[in-house]
Amino acid sequence: VRHALEDAIERILRPELGGIGGRGSGVKKGKSVDVLRGVVEKRANRNNSGLLGMGGTKGGCGGRPYVIVMIGINGVGKSTSLAKIAYYLQSNQCNPLLAACDTFRSGAVEQLSVHASCLNLPLYHQGYAKDPSAVAKAAINKATEDGNDVVLVDTAGRMQNNVPLMKALAKLVTETSPDLVLFVCEALVGNDGMD
């Protein structure tokens, strides 16, 4: 377990390695977690398809933006981590759109609105008591129309034993097919993080 955890952390902190560590473990190369590279490559592909006449959005790029969904347990910092990633991407000439898909927790949209305002970034929301997957799909469509190259989707925190929220999360991930799903946790979570 220790080596697997070290390999996973090394992959996250040093994405240029690509696969799982240099320990000769023989495990196949996993999906890259280099977020900036993923966004830039997808933007380049969108721009190339636009040059070939396959695009046609008002933002000048065809195709879908890079989509990142943030998931995790209640109160671990998903929205704050999302804002930090948005700042990082914005600092590297990316054009993020924040999507408030936590339609469950009171104050979630306002919290993300404060982050968006501080970063001078667009925020897509539909308020509360809405279907999170429908909000996420609408946000992706809006980003495609407006030429945003990345959508950062904030979701409601949930525990694995809350069946309705877990089903809503599964539906969101299934219906939006994100490029990357990031699990935000804290060290004190322990074995619950694995569940």
Side-chain angles (χ1 to χ4, degrees):
V1 173
R2 179 175 177 224
H3 291 295
L5 183 58
E6 287 173 355
D7 287 338
I9 291 170
E10 186 173 352
R11 248 192 3 246
I12 291 168
L13 297 177
R14 298 182 55 204
E16 71 276 4
L17 295 178
I20 296 179
R23 296 191 192 345
S25 61
V27 178
K28 292 181 181 176
K29 180 178 176 179
K31 186 172 184 175
S32 173
V33 291
D34 188 340
V35 176
L36 181 59
R37 176 176 284 166
V39 172
V40 170
E41 285 176 356
K42 190 152 191 179
R43 179 177 56 202
N45 290 339
R46 289 174 69 204
N47 287 340
N48 289 340
S49 69
L51 290 174
L52 298 173
M54 295 184 271
T57 63
K58 98 179 169 189
C61 299
R64 180 183 138 112
Y66 193 87
V67 178
I68 301 170
V69 174
M70 306 290 283
I71 64 170
I73 298 170
N74 311 51
V76 295
K78 288 176 298 301
S79 301
T80 303
S81 296
L82 181 140
K84 289 176 181 181
I85 292 171
Y87 174 74
Y88 171 73
L89 292 169
Q90 183 183 42
S91 298
N92 285 280
Q93 291 72 49
C94 294
N95 184 18
L97 170 76
L98 307 185
C101 297
D102 181 350
T103 62
F104 182 75
R105 179 176 62 89
S106 178
V109 173
E110 291 80 7
Q111 179 186 9
L112 205 57
S113 177
V114 169
H115 288 307
S117 177
C118 289
L119 295 170
N120 196 26
L121 289 175
L123 171 69
Y124 184 87
H125 70 89
Q126 293 181 354
Y128 296 100
K130 306 286 189 228
D131 177 19
S133 61
V135 176
K137 287 190 289 188
I140 294 167
N141 290 337
K142 175 77 169 148
T144 302
E145 291 171 9
D146 292 351
N148 297 94
D149 48 17
V150 60
V151 178
L152 295 156
V153 179
D154 190 30
T155 63
R158 58 203 77 217
M159 295 294 289
Q160 73 275 10
N161 61 355
N162 188 329
V163 175
L165 282 180
M166 291 302 287
K167 284 184 177 180
L169 178 62
K171 179 182 176 195
L172 186 148
V173 171
T174 300
E175 291 185 359
T176 60
S177 300
D179 296 284
L180 185 63
V181 177
L182 292 178
F183 177 70
V184 181
C185 67
E186 58 186 7
L188 298 176
V189 168
N191 288 338
D192 273 346
M194 301 309 287
D195 290 339

